[in-house]
PDB file of all heavy atoms in Angstrom:
ATOM      1  N   THR A   1     244.276  58.032-112.598  1.00 81.00           N
ATOM      2  CA  THR A   1     243.577  59.265-112.208  1.00 81.00           C
ATOM      3  C   THR A   1     242.986  59.133-110.803  1.00 81.00           C
ATOM      4  O   THR A   1     242.308  58.175-110.476  1.00 81.00           O
ATOM      5  CB  THR A   1     242.428  59.564-113.199  1.00 81.00           C
ATOM      6  OG1 THR A   1     243.044  59.665-114.498  1.00 81.00           O
ATOM      7  CG2 THR A   1     241.767  60.923-112.830  1.00 81.00           C
ATOM      8  N   GLY A   2     243.229  60.145-109.939  1.00 81.00           N
ATOM      9  CA  GLY A   2     242.804  60.055-108.558  1.00 81.00           C
ATOM     10  C   GLY A   2     241.309  60.371-108.459  1.00 81.00           C
ATOM     11  O   GLY A   2     240.562  59.649-107.772  1.00 81.00           O
ATOM     12  N   VAL A   3     240.796  61.402-109.121  1.00 84.00           N
ATOM     13  CA  VAL A   3     239.395  61.767-109.054  1.00 84.00           C
ATOM     14  C   VAL A   3     238.849  62.007-110.450  1.00 84.00           C
ATOM     15  O   VAL A   3     239.488  62.675-111.258  1.00 84.00           O
ATOM     16  CB  VAL A   3     239.197  63.054-108.205  1.00 84.00           C
ATOM     17  CG1 VAL A   3     237.735  63.493-108.202  1.00 84.00           C
ATOM     18  CG2 VAL A   3     239.636  62.825-106.786  1.00 84.00           C
ATOM     19  N   VAL A   4     237.678  61.493-110.738  1.00 84.00           N
ATOM     20  CA  VAL A   4     237.001  61.749-112.031  1.00 84.00           C
ATOM     21  C   VAL A   4     235.624  62.223-111.800  1.00 84.00           C
ATOM     22  O   VAL A   4     234.866  61.682-110.931  1.00 84.00           O
ATOM     23  CB  VAL A   4     236.969  60.455-112.897  1.00 84.00           C
ATOM     24  CG1 VAL A   4     236.197  60.677-114.199  1.00 84.00           C
ATOM     25  CG2 VAL A   4     238.395  59.989-113.234  1.00 84.00           C
ATOM     26  N   GLY A   5     235.151  63.267-112.473  1.00 84.00           N
ATOM     27  CA  GLY A   5     233.827  63.710-112.384  1.00 84.00           C
ATOM     28  C   GLY A   5     233.216  63.906-113.761  1.00 84.00           C
ATOM     29  O   GLY A   5     233.860  64.563-114.614  1.00 84.00           O
ATOM     30  N   ASN A   6     232.079  63.342-114.036  1.00 84.00           N
ATOM     31  CA  ASN A   6     231.393  63.486-115.318  1.00 84.00           C
ATOM     32  C   ASN A   6     230.032  64.006-115.185  1.00 84.00           C
ATOM     33  O   ASN A   6     229.286  63.658-114.256  1.00 84.00           O
ATOM     34  CB  ASN A   6     231.319  62.076-116.010  1.00 84.00           C
ATOM     35  CG  ASN A   6     232.661  61.526-116.314  1.00 84.00           C
ATOM     36  OD1 ASN A   6     233.522  62.162-116.912  1.00 84.00           O
ATOM     37  ND2 ASN A   6     232.933  60.279-115.915  1.00 84.00           N
ATOM     38  N   SER A   7     229.653  64.945-116.035  1.00 84.00           N
ATOM     39  CA  SER A   7     228.258  65.410-116.130  1.00 84.00           C
ATOM     40  C   SER A   7     227.745  65.034-117.509  1.00 84.00           C
ATOM     41  O   SER A   7     228.247  65.551-118.531  1.00 84.00           O
ATOM     42  CB  SER A   7     228.238  66.914-115.904  1.00 84.00           C
ATOM     43  OG  SER A   7     226.903  67.397-116.010  1.00 84.00           O
ATOM     44  N   LEU A   8     226.789  64.190-117.534  1.00 85.00           N
ATOM     45  CA  LEU A   8     226.376  63.593-118.855  1.00 85.00           C
ATOM     46  C   LEU A   8     225.146  64.243-119.436  1.00 85.00           C
ATOM     47  O   LEU A   8     224.748  63.879-120.529  1.00 85.00           O
ATOM     48  CB  LEU A   8     226.048  62.106-118.612  1.00 85.00           C
ATOM     49  CG  LEU A   8     227.307  61.280-118.041  1.00 85.00           C
ATOM     50  CD1 LEU A   8     226.881  59.862-117.859  1.00 85.00           C
ATOM     51  CD2 LEU A   8     228.467  61.447-118.931  1.00 85.00           C
ATOM     52  N   ALA A   9     224.535  65.185-118.766  1.00 86.00           N
ATOM     53  CA  ALA A   9     223.395  65.919-119.341  1.00 86.00           C
ATOM     54  C   ALA A   9     223.793  66.741-120.554  1.00 86.00           C
ATOM     55  O   ALA A   9     224.883  67.349-120.516  1.00 86.00           O
ATOM     56  CB  ALA A   9     222.700  66.807-118.259  1.00 86.00           C
ATOM     57  N   LEU A  10     222.949  66.753-121.562  1.00 83.00           N
ATOM     58  CA  LEU A  10     223.297  67.509-122.811  1.00 83.00           C
ATOM     59  C   LEU A  10     222.853  68.912-122.764  1.00 83.00           C
ATOM     60  O   LEU A  10     223.108  69.692-123.630  1.00 83.00           O
ATOM     61  CB  LEU A  10     222.716  66.780-123.998  1.00 83.00           C
ATOM     62  CG  LEU A  10     223.209  65.336-124.200  1.00 83.00           C
ATOM     63  CD1 LEU A  10     222.516  64.723-125.389  1.00 83.00           C
ATOM     64  CD2 LEU A  10     224.720  65.291-124.297  1.00 83.00           C
ATOM     65  N   THR A  11     222.092  69.352-121.732  1.00 81.00           N
ATOM     66  CA  THR A  11     221.596  70.725-121.663  1.00 81.00           C
ATOM     67  C   THR A  11     221.802  71.196-120.187  1.00 81.00           C
ATOM     68  O   THR A  11     222.064  70.416-119.325  1.00 81.00           O
ATOM     69  CB  THR A  11     220.101  70.867-122.014  1.00 81.00           C
ATOM     70  OG1 THR A  11     219.305  70.036-121.143  1.00 81.00           O
ATOM     71  CG2 THR A  11     219.906  70.421-123.471  1.00 81.00           C
ATOM     72  N   GLY A  12     221.585  72.477-120.049  1.00 78.00           N
ATOM     73  CA  GLY A  12     221.680  73.040-118.656  1.00 78.00           C
ATOM     74  C   GLY A  12     223.102  73.462-118.294  1.00 78.00           C
ATOM     75  O   GLY A  12     224.056  73.245-119.060  1.00 78.00           O
ATOM     76  N   GLU A  13     223.218  74.129-117.145  1.00 76.00           N
ATOM     77  CA  GLU A  13     224.589  74.617-116.712  1.00 76.00           C
ATOM     78  C   GLU A  13     225.164  73.464-115.880  1.00 76.00           C
ATOM     79  O   GLU A  13     225.195  73.472-114.614  1.00 76.00           O
ATOM     80  CB  GLU A  13     224.388  75.842-115.853  1.00 76.00           C
ATOM     81  CG  GLU A  13     223.817  76.997-116.657  1.00 76.00           C
ATOM     82  CD  GLU A  13     223.838  78.262-115.776  1.00 76.00           C
ATOM     83  OE1 GLU A  13     224.709  78.480-114.938  1.00 76.00           O
ATOM     84  OE2 GLU A  13     222.947  79.115-115.975  1.00 76.00           O
ATOM     85  N   THR A  14     225.754  72.479-116.539  1.00 81.00           N
ATOM     86  CA  THR A  14     226.356  71.355-115.862  1.00 81.00           C
ATOM     87  C   THR A  14     227.785  71.571-115.459  1.00 81.00           C
ATOM     88  O   THR A  14     228.491  72.428-116.061  1.00 81.00           O
ATOM     89  CB  THR A  14     226.224  70.109-116.739  1.00 81.00           C
ATOM     90  OG1 THR A  14     226.947  70.315-117.946  1.00 81.00           O
ATOM     91  CG2 THR A  14     224.765  69.876-117.171  1.00 81.00           C
ATOM     92  N   LYS A  15     228.239  70.810-114.509  1.00 80.00           N
ATOM     93  CA  LYS A  15     229.670  70.901-114.100  1.00 80.00           C
ATOM     94  C   LYS A  15     230.185  69.500-113.907  1.00 80.00           C
ATOM     95  O   LYS A  15     229.518  68.654-113.314  1.00 80.00           O
ATOM     96  CB  LYS A  15     229.771  71.677-112.805  1.00 80.00           C
ATOM     97  CG  LYS A  15     229.251  73.099-112.810  1.00 80.00           C
ATOM     98  CD  LYS A  15     229.324  73.830-111.473  1.00 80.00           C
ATOM     99  CE  LYS A  15     228.822  75.274-111.564  1.00 80.00           C
ATOM    100  NZ  LYS A  15     227.399  75.292-111.861  1.00 80.00           N
ATOM    101  N   GLY A  16     231.405  69.296-114.391  1.00 81.00           N
ATOM    102  CA  GLY A  16     232.048  67.970-114.185  1.00 81.00           C
ATOM    103  C   GLY A  16     232.430  67.762-112.726  1.00 81.00           C
ATOM    104  O   GLY A  16     232.193  66.734-112.153  1.00 81.00           O
ATOM    105  N   ILE A  17     233.006  68.778-112.098  1.00 83.00           N
ATOM    106  CA  ILE A  17     233.382  68.733-110.681  1.00 83.00           C
ATOM    107  C   ILE A  17     233.079  70.073-110.091  1.00 83.00           C
ATOM    108  O   ILE A  17     233.436  71.054-110.660  1.00 83.00           O
ATOM    109  CB  ILE A  17     234.909  68.329-110.449  1.00 83.00           C
ATOM    110  CG1 ILE A  17     235.184  66.923-111.014  1.00 83.00           C
ATOM    111  CG2 ILE A  17     235.283  68.437-109.045  1.00 83.00           C
ATOM    112  CD1 ILE A  17     236.658  66.597-110.912  1.00 83.00           C
ATOM    113  N   GLU A  18     232.466  70.088-108.901  1.00 82.00           N
ATOM    114  CA  GLU A  18     232.216  71.338-108.205  1.00 82.00           C
ATOM    115  C   GLU A  18     232.662  71.160-106.769  1.00 82.00           C
ATOM    116  O   GLU A  18     232.421  70.150-106.122  1.00 82.00           O
ATOM    117  CB  GLU A  18     230.735  71.676-108.209  1.00 82.00           C
ATOM    118  CG  GLU A  18     230.424  72.985-107.552  1.00 82.00           C
ATOM    119  CD  GLU A  18     228.941  73.414-107.740  1.00 82.00           C
ATOM    120  OE1 GLU A  18     228.193  72.600-108.272  1.00 82.00           O
ATOM    121  OE2 GLU A  18     228.609  74.515-107.267  1.00 82.00           O
ATOM    122  N   ALA A  19     233.354  72.179-106.186  1.00 82.00           N
ATOM    123  CA  ALA A  19     233.809  72.175-104.848  1.00 82.00           C
ATOM    124  C   ALA A  19     233.399  73.453-104.159  1.00 82.00           C
ATOM    125  O   ALA A  19     233.450  74.486-104.736  1.00 82.00           O
ATOM    126  CB  ALA A  19     235.316  71.974-104.813  1.00 82.00           C
ATOM    127  N   SER A  20     233.012  73.310-102.874  1.00 80.00           N
ATOM    128  CA  SER A  20     232.633  74.502-102.150  1.00 80.00           C
ATOM    129  C   SER A  20     233.084  74.320-100.733  1.00 80.00           C
ATOM    130  O   SER A  20     233.302  73.205-100.251  1.00 80.00           O
ATOM    131  CB  SER A  20     231.120  74.729-102.182  1.00 80.00           C
ATOM    132  OG  SER A  20     230.395  73.685-101.516  1.00 80.00           O
ATOM    133  N   VAL A  21     233.187  75.383 -99.969  1.00 83.00           N
ATOM    134  CA  VAL A  21     233.704  75.351 -98.594  1.00 83.00           C
ATOM    135  C   VAL A  21     233.055  76.491 -97.780  1.00 83.00           C
ATOM    136  O   VAL A  21     232.776  77.551 -98.325  1.00 83.00           O
ATOM    137  CB  VAL A  21     235.253  75.460 -98.530  1.00 83.00           C
ATOM    138  CG1 VAL A  21     235.702  76.793 -99.035  1.00 83.00           C
ATOM    139  CG2 VAL A  21     235.780  75.221 -97.105  1.00 83.00           C
ATOM    140  N   GLU A  22     232.701  76.219 -96.544  1.00 83.00           N
ATOM    141  CA  GLU A  22     232.071  77.246 -95.700  1.00 83.00           C
ATOM    142  C   GLU A  22     233.051  77.945 -94.808  1.00 83.00           C
ATOM    143  O   GLU A  22     232.798  79.082 -94.399  1.00 83.00           O
ATOM    144  CB  GLU A  22     231.003  76.564 -94.848  1.00 83.00           C
ATOM    145  CG  GLU A  22     229.841  75.936 -95.614  1.00 83.00           C
ATOM    146  CD  GLU A  22     229.050  76.929 -96.380  1.00 83.00           C
ATOM    147  OE1 GLU A  22     228.915  78.107 -95.931  1.00 83.00           O
ATOM    148  OE2 GLU A  22     228.457  76.570 -97.449  1.00 83.00           O
ATOM    149  N   SER A  23     234.161  77.321 -94.504  1.00 84.00           N
ATOM    150  CA  SER A  23     235.123  77.920 -93.626  1.00 84.00           C
ATOM    151  C   SER A  23     235.719  79.179 -94.235  1.00 84.00           C
ATOM    152  O   SER A  23     236.098  79.177 -95.396  1.00 84.00           O
ATOM    153  CB  SER A  23     236.262  76.929 -93.313  1.00 84.00           C
ATOM    154  OG  SER A  23     237.364  77.617 -92.707  1.00 84.00           O
ATOM    155  N   PRO A  24     235.826  80.329 -93.499  1.00 81.00           N
ATOM    156  CA  PRO A  24     236.400  81.541 -94.022  1.00 81.00           C
ATOM    157  C   PRO A  24     237.857  81.380 -94.354  1.00 81.00           C
ATOM    158  O   PRO A  24     238.411  82.161 -95.120  1.00 81.00           O
ATOM    159  CB  PRO A  24     236.183  82.557 -92.935  1.00 81.00           C
ATOM    160  CG  PRO A  24     236.066  81.763 -91.617  1.00 81.00           C
ATOM    161  CD  PRO A  24     235.388  80.475 -92.040  1.00 81.00           C
ATOM    162  N   ASN A  25     238.543  80.352 -93.803  1.00 79.00           N
ATOM    163  CA  ASN A  25     239.942  80.092 -94.133  1.00 79.00           C
ATOM    164  C   ASN A  25     240.139  78.886 -94.998  1.00 79.00           C
ATOM    165  O   ASN A  25     241.273  78.447 -95.193  1.00 79.00           O
ATOM    166  CB  ASN A  25     240.757  79.888 -92.812  1.00 79.00           C
ATOM    167  CG  ASN A  25     240.737  81.170 -91.942  1.00 79.00           C
ATOM    168  OD1 ASN A  25     240.846  82.274 -92.452  1.00 79.00           O
ATOM    169  ND2 ASN A  25     240.519  80.956 -90.678  1.00 79.00           N
ATOM    170  N   GLY A  26     239.066  78.346 -95.529  1.00 79.00           N
ATOM    171  CA  GLY A  26     239.145  77.149 -96.325  1.00 79.00           C
ATOM    172  C   GLY A  26     239.468  77.444 -97.786  1.00 79.00           C
ATOM    173  O   GLY A  26     239.511  78.544 -98.276  1.00 79.00           O
ATOM    174  N   THR A  27     239.627  76.348 -98.534  1.00 77.00           N
ATOM    175  CA  THR A  27     239.950  76.363 -99.957  1.00 77.00           C
ATOM    176  C   THR A  27     238.990  75.493-100.711  1.00 77.00           C
ATOM    177  O   THR A  27     238.772  74.298-100.267  1.00 77.00           O
ATOM    178  CB  THR A  27     241.425  75.916-100.230  1.00 77.00           C
ATOM    179  OG1 THR A  27     242.268  76.782 -99.521  1.00 77.00           O
ATOM    180  CG2 THR A  27     241.698  75.990-101.737  1.00 77.00           C
ATOM    181  N   GLY A  28     238.334  75.989-101.704  1.00 74.00           N
ATOM    182  CA  GLY A  28     237.356  75.234-102.486  1.00 74.00           C
ATOM    183  C   GLY A  28     238.029  74.010-103.135  1.00 74.00           C
ATOM    184  O   GLY A  28     237.496  72.879-103.100  1.00 74.00           O
ATOM    185  N   ALA A  29     239.151  74.209-103.741  1.00 74.00           N
ATOM    186  CA  ALA A  29     239.876  73.119-104.319  1.00 74.00           C
ATOM    187  C   ALA A  29     241.384  73.355-104.253  1.00 74.00           C
ATOM    188  O   ALA A  29     241.795  74.480-104.550  1.00 74.00           O
ATOM    189  CB  ALA A  29     239.465  72.908-105.792  1.00 74.00           C
ATOM    190  N   SER A  30     242.101  72.454-103.800  1.00 72.00           N
ATOM    191  CA  SER A  30     243.570  72.561-103.722  1.00 72.00           C
ATOM    192  C   SER A  30     244.220  71.535-104.650  1.00 72.00           C
ATOM    193  O   SER A  30     244.039  70.328-104.496  1.00 72.00           O
ATOM    194  CB  SER A  30     244.048  72.325-102.282  1.00 72.00           C
ATOM    195  OG  SER A  30     245.439  72.461-102.207  1.00 72.00           O
ATOM    196  N   LEU A  31     244.958  72.029-105.655  1.00 68.00           N
ATOM    197  CA  LEU A  31     245.544  71.194-106.656  1.00 68.00           C
ATOM    198  C   LEU A  31     247.057  71.208-106.494  1.00 68.00           C
ATOM    199  O   LEU A  31     247.657  72.323-106.645  1.00 68.00           O
ATOM    200  CB  LEU A  31     245.150  71.561-108.070  1.00 68.00           C
ATOM    201  CG  LEU A  31     243.596  71.652-108.325  1.00 68.00           C
ATOM    202  CD1 LEU A  31     243.328  72.133-109.681  1.00 68.00           C
ATOM    203  CD2 LEU A  31     242.985  70.284-108.109  1.00 68.00           C
ATOM    204  N   ARG A  32     247.688  70.075-106.320  1.00 68.00           N
ATOM    205  CA  ARG A  32     249.128  69.992-106.222  1.00 68.00           C
ATOM    206  C   ARG A  32     249.659  69.031-107.183  1.00 68.00           C
ATOM    207  O   ARG A  32     248.943  68.076-107.565  1.00 68.00           O
ATOM    208  CB  ARG A  32     249.558  69.643-104.759  1.00 68.00           C
ATOM    209  CG  ARG A  32     249.111  70.594-103.739  1.00 68.00           C
ATOM    210  CD  ARG A  32     249.586  70.157-102.357  1.00 68.00           C
ATOM    211  NE  ARG A  32     249.118  71.075-101.331  1.00 68.00           N
ATOM    212  CZ  ARG A  32     249.408  70.930 -99.989  1.00 68.00           C
ATOM    213  NH1 ARG A  32     250.072  69.821 -99.621  1.00 68.00           N
ATOM    214  NH2 ARG A  32     248.955  71.785 -99.141  1.00 68.00           N
ATOM    215  N   SER A  33     250.870  69.289-107.666  1.00 63.00           N
ATOM    216  CA  SER A  33     251.442  68.445-108.652  1.00 63.00           C
ATOM    217  C   SER A  33     252.937  68.325-108.473  1.00 63.00           C
ATOM    218  O   SER A  33     253.553  69.253-107.966  1.00 63.00           O
ATOM    219  CB  SER A  33     251.128  69.013-110.089  1.00 63.00           C
ATOM    220  OG  SER A  33     251.726  68.182-111.094  1.00 63.00           O
ATOM    221  N   PRO A  34     253.517  67.190-108.864  1.00 60.00           N
ATOM    222  CA  PRO A  34     254.992  67.029-108.770  1.00 60.00           C
ATOM    223  C   PRO A  34     255.665  67.953-109.798  1.00 60.00           C
ATOM    224  O   PRO A  34     255.010  68.709-110.440  1.00 60.00           O
ATOM    225  CB  PRO A  34     255.204  65.545-109.055  1.00 60.00           C
ATOM    226  CG  PRO A  34     253.997  65.154-109.818  1.00 60.00           C
ATOM    227  CD  PRO A  34     252.838  65.988-109.330  1.00 60.00           C
ATOM    228  N   PRO A  35     256.990  67.803-109.959  1.00 59.00           N
ATOM    229  CA  PRO A  35     257.726  68.784-110.863  1.00 59.00           C
ATOM    230  C   PRO A  35     257.160  68.941-112.253  1.00 59.00           C
ATOM    231  O   PRO A  35     257.472  69.898-112.899  1.00 59.00           O
ATOM    232  CB  PRO A  35     259.141  68.115-110.895  1.00 59.00           C
ATOM    233  CG  PRO A  35     259.227  67.403-109.582  1.00 59.00           C
ATOM    234  CD  PRO A  35     257.892  66.901-109.254  1.00 59.00           C
TER     235      PRO A  35
END
């Protein structure tokens, strides 16, 4: 696995992985995969 994100809190609005970008032409997350 290339990237792993874990959120271990049992309450609240938790996220395993969060991505953000400020550029107006940017992408928050880009996911590519082989066939």
Side-chain angles (χ1 to χ4, degrees):
T1 301
V3 175
V4 175
N6 295 310
S7 179
L8 303 180
L10 300 180
T11 60
E13 296 186 32
T14 64
K15 301 178 178 65
I17 296 177
E18 181 175 6
S20 63
V21 64
E22 298 295 331
S23 169
N25 297 317
T27 300
S30 178
L31 304 176
R32 298 181 181 179
S33 177

